[in-house]
Amino acid sequence: MASRMPLRSLSRATQLFNVRPWTCSNCRVGSARPLPLRRGVATTPTTNTPKKPYYVTSPIFYVNAAPHVGHLYTMVMADILKRWQVLLGDNDAQLLTGTDEHGMKIQRAALEAGMDTQAFCDMNCRTFESLAKAANLSHDHFIRTTDPEHREAVQYFWEMLKHRGYIYTSKHEGWYSVSDETFYPQTQVQNSLDPSTGRKRMVSIETGKEVEWSSEINYHFRLSAFKDRLLELYQRSDSFITPSTYATELIQSVSSGLQDLSISRPAERLTWGIPVPGDDTQTIYVWLDALVNYLTRAGYPFPPGQEKTSIWPANVHVVGKDIVRFHCVYWPAFLMALDLPLPRNVLVHGHWTMNREKMSKSTGNVVNPFFAIDRFGVDGMRFFLAYQGGLANDADYDNSFITRDYKKWLQGGIGNLASRTIGVAKGQLGSYIQAATSNKLPAPSPADVEHQIMLVQAPPRVAEQMTGLNPRAALQEIMSIIEKTNKYFHAAEPWKTPDHRWVLYNVAESLRISAILLQPFMPGKSQELLEMLRVDTSNPSKRSFAAAVYGSDQDYGQNVQKGYLFLPLLTED
Ligand code: MSP
């Protein structure tokens, strides 16, 4: 790469500013694993340097209600992580999404809808599948917990836990929230008045969801046995949980005590689920069932000797902050009990709120993601969610914020820059690119060199943020390229200067590099921008992360035509 860089001043700049070479996460952890897998999962050839493909998962969605923008966010975050790996060259990277179809919540919702439960699941599952399509998700599989192979995996998982002595029966008394599908101890519930009916009820202090008393015999998992190992996991130097604020909270809560977990419900209460193997009077707890989906896709139960050839462990589970406990306490403990490898990371994100209240079906303050995509375009929405969505914090949703960002960053930022550059170049952009990349231009000005240095440094910074699982900060780095380029362009006034070749070349490079880096975030619009610049998009090496290097493409820019990348929005708030 560096040898193709035409500019002496640049390589010196690179040394001066100590631009660090980027190392992919798999190389960092040194985990070369051979492949292939069961059940038709994509594999990498087991030739010289076999490497486990990156495996990222989204949560699987409850099918009790229609999706909202919060669900779209979690899908998009997971998709960005997967597409980033593809950009780095891991063409076998895998993204799993799907639906969580068992449990009391779904059983009751189907009953209320007066529908057969399976038919109800089929209907609502289709909506989530349509959302994945509308969001341009690059998922490799859409799992449903009602799939027969998943049932088989869960029952096997259960048998293994039992075989190893981690399951016992006992009487369980406590408060159960159907909405949260979880038990709460007495200390975590309180009295409250239902604002709509004035009825007195008990609710979870944490989520405000109604709880009901339950006293029953069921199966328990020896969760308490894993306290020390879990605490060690949270303190691992390469952070199991990102952002670290969530680890701090978990350390506090797990240190203060961990009780064994009830992992089944009597079948007379819960029929819609997977029966406990060998005991039809009990149904497996929906969260145990749901978490195993990540293994099902990886081919679990692994045929003997093939544990190490699976895509498991997941590189990252993307989850919202309300389901941290399930993913960072129960799930690793289950896996530890079976000596299965743990997921490498859990990326937790904050919630979308409306007027500072969590967007949720039960509150009724939800935004229909299909309408939002129709209005702002799929890439407009993907951009907004990634750019403003919170990880450690929540983010407030409002149509006027999307309009503002769309105009500022997409229309006014990228779109305007592209069309003005093409306009000012008057059909000569291709020849400027040729001249610059074959050292046929006079010396650049100090402002040109400063811009070049910024362009050399930006892609590794974006990569560093992505390696740290911070897509938002990565996108901010990319948009900062656009912002700086706009300033450079306007300060240089290339429409007035007789020799504007360096400026137009540098702006073209800024756009080309930004478009390459934007692919995981806005797959459609970045493709359009690359095409507008006449980058040869049929050649994968011209659009990979390795091509996001200043001066590395000599062949683009021929016969470029002005176009509108981001059309004006039809309606405004
Ligand atoms: N079925 C469980 C997940 C099982 S994963 C083995 C579940 N489903 S859910 O449909 O309720 O939520 C799915 C995801 O959407 C969760 O990550 C949740 O945090 C996320 N969100 C739900 N409401 C949200 C917002 N208002 N904002 C952002 N994400 C939100 O939990």
Side-chain angles (χ1 to χ4, degrees):
M1 278 181 276
S3 62
R4 291 208 68 191
M5 256 204 302
L7 306 161
R8 281 178 298 271
S9 54
L10 255 195
S11 46
R12 196 174 123 62
T14 313
Q15 288 161 12
L16 267 176
F17 287 81
N18 187 22
V19 177
R20 277 184 291 136
W22 184 83
T23 326
C24 84
S25 58
N26 285 315
C27 307
R28 269 186 306 122
V29 294
S31 65
R33 285 172 191 276
L35 268 183
L37 317 159
R38 294 174 61 215
R39 296 192 186 121
V41 176
T43 61
T44 48
T46 47
T47 48
N48 301 342
T49 48
K51 184 165 82 79
K52 182 190 95 64
Y54 197 88
Y55 178 33
V56 49
T57 67
S58 85
I60 50 171
F61 302 93
Y62 285 130
V63 288
N64 62 310
H68 60 67
V69 157
H71 301 133
L72 174 63
Y73 179 51
T74 216
M75 277 184 178
V76 167
M77 292 301 273
D79 189 51
I80 291 169
L81 295 180
K82 176 201 158 177
R83 285 180 184 269
W84 178 259
Q85 293 302 317
V86 175
L87 189 72
L88 295 182
D90 182 355
N91 290 318
D92 293 320
Q94 297 268 318
L95 169 61
L96 175 67
T97 192
T99 41
D100 190 352
E101 306 191 357
H102 289 137
M104 201 75 102
K105 183 163 157 144
I106 314 293
Q107 185 176 302
R108 285 197 188 164
L111 198 67
E112 274 167 30
M115 284 181 74
D116 166 71
T117 320
Q118 185 63 58
F120 178 79
C121 290
D122 292 348
M123 177 182 81
N124 286 344
C125 165
R126 274 195 293 275
T127 322
F128 280 96
E129 274 181 304
S130 309
L131 181 62
K133 194 155 178 249
N136 203 356
L137 223 68
S138 62
H139 56 295
D140 301 273
H141 187 62
F142 191 100
I143 195 167
R144 300 181 61 182
T145 53
T146 47
D147 290 339
E149 64 264 34
H150 176 68
R151 181 190 176 102
E152 188 193 312
V154 172
Q155 290 193 321
Y156 187 84
F157 194 86
W158 178 285
E159 303 245 39
M160 287 298 108
L161 289 176
K162 191 169 161 218
H163 176 71
R164 292 187 169 214
Y166 286 106
I167 295 183
Y168 64 92
T169 44
S170 116
K171 181 163 180 186
H172 189 276
E173 290 204 314
W175 296 95
Y176 194 79
S177 160
V178 173
S179 182
D180 299 335
E181 291 284 18
T182 194
F183 276 109
Y184 290 104
Q186 186 68 42
T187 51
Q188 286 178 26
V189 296
Q190 66 185 13
N191 266 306
S192 134
L193 276 186
D194 183 343
S196 53
T197 60
R199 187 173 60 91
K200 257 180 99 180
R201 55 186 191 156
M202 290 300 271
V203 296
S204 147
I205 296 174
E206 187 193 334
T207 63
K209 296 285 162 51
E210 183 161 0
V211 292
E212 47 199 63
W213 180 252
S214 114
S215 171
E216 61 197 30
I217 303 280
N218 55 33
Y219 288 97
H220 285 65
F221 170 70
R222 294 189 196 283
L223 183 62
S224 54
F226 295 92
K227 182 175 167 187
D228 294 345
R229 286 178 67 188
L230 288 170
L231 287 170
E232 264 169 45
L233 177 67
Y234 308 147
Q235 274 146 348
R236 220 173 61 183
S237 58
D238 59 342
S239 357
F240 174 67
I241 309 164
T242 310
S244 57
T245 40
Y246 297 106
T248 313
E249 284 168 22
L250 265 187
I251 291 170
Q252 269 175 11
S253 117
V254 171
S255 311
S256 68
L258 203 54
Q259 289 176 357
D260 286 353
L261 178 71
S262 156
I263 49 166
S264 72
R265 307 294 321 268
E268 71 226 25
R269 285 172 189 245
L270 175 67
T271 47
W272 189 244
I274 302 176
V276 167
D279 181 358
D280 282 355
T281 68
Q282 293 273 329
T283 306
I284 296 178
Y285 175 41
V286 62
W287 266 103
L288 196 166
D289 168 347
L291 288 161
V292 172
N293 93 86
Y294 304 134
L295 275 178
T296 305
R297 170 57 182 163
Y300 185 84
F302 305 123
Q306 287 189 28
E307 299 85 350
K308 295 216 161 72
T309 61
S310 157
I311 52 166
W312 188 257
N315 292 73
V316 53
H317 293 312
V318 175
V319 303
K321 68 178 189 182
D322 53 320
I323 55 174
V324 170
R325 190 172 180 81
F326 304 98
H327 284 84
C328 299
V329 182
Y330 304 168
W331 184 223
F334 292 151
L335 293 166
M336 284 172 184
L338 298 191
D339 288 324
L340 286 166
L342 304 184
R344 300 212 175 114
N345 283 109
V346 178
L347 172 62
V348 184
H349 61 73
H351 287 149
W352 283 98
T353 58
M354 295 263 274
N355 301 320
R356 310 271 157 216
E357 200 179 337
K358 183 188 172 198
M359 195 185 282
S360 101
K361 160 79 182 25
S362 51
T363 322
N365 60 346
V366 291
V367 174
N368 180 324
F370 295 99
F371 292 171
I373 289 173
D374 266 0
R375 180 166 174 190
F376 300 107
V378 56
D379 285 330
M381 276 308 287
R382 288 177 63 114
F383 175 83
F384 174 74
L385 294 176
Y387 196 72
Q388 301 292 358
L391 294 173
N393 300 307
D394 290 348
D396 213 35
Y397 187 94
D398 193 300
N399 284 333
S400 66
F401 302 160
I402 312 178
T403 308
R404 176 201 63 199
D405 283 355
Y406 183 93
K407 283 186 177 168
K408 175 171 178 193
W409 293 112
L410 304 184
Q411 267 189 302
I414 304 173
N416 190 38
L417 193 59
S419 65
R420 293 211 58 194
T421 307
I422 292 169
V424 176
K426 298 207 171 75
Q428 295 303 307
L429 197 59
S431 67
Y432 298 170
I433 290 166
Q434 291 281 327
T437 51
S438 48
N439 280 336
K440 292 203 178 114
L441 293 185
S445 74
D448 298 329
V449 173
E450 194 187 322
H451 195 75
Q452 291 160 358
I453 292 169
M454 182 278 291
L455 275 182
V456 169
Q457 292 178 331
R461 283 159 67 143
V462 174
E464 198 174 313
Q465 295 296 354
M466 289 303 292
T467 306
L469 298 179
N470 194 337
R472 179 185 187 179
L475 184 55
Q476 284 168 348
E477 290 282 357
I478 303 171
M479 296 320 287
S480 148
I481 304 178
I482 298 292
E483 194 169 32
K484 287 174 185 152
T485 308
N486 254 314
K487 284 196 181 131
Y488 165 65
F489 183 81
H490 284 100
E493 301 186 313
W495 53 92
K496 284 192 190 160
T497 18
D499 190 352
H500 53 209
R501 289 175 297 176
W502 268 124
V503 175
L504 292 187
Y505 174 64
N506 284 339
V507 175
E509 277 297 83
S510 308
L511 286 165
R512 182 184 70 84
I513 290 171
S514 304
I516 290 173
L517 298 172
L518 280 169
Q519 290 174 97
F521 299 87
M522 296 195 288
K525 289 295 171 187
S526 52
Q527 164 90 10
E528 277 179 42
L529 178 53
L530 288 169
E531 280 168 4
M532 190 186 265
L533 295 169
R534 295 282 189 270
V535 173
D536 179 5
T537 52
S538 65
N539 177 350
S541 72
K542 295 273 186 184
R543 56 190 301 173
S544 69
F545 181 71
V549 169
Y550 183 81
S552 65
D553 190 337
Q554 310 188 314
D555 312 322
Y556 75 108
Q558 303 295 336
N559 306 318
V560 290
Q561 306 272 324
K562 254 174 133 172
Y564 285 101
L565 212 49
F566 295 97
L567 295 171
L569 294 168
L570 292 178
T571 49
E572 288 198 13
D573 282 320

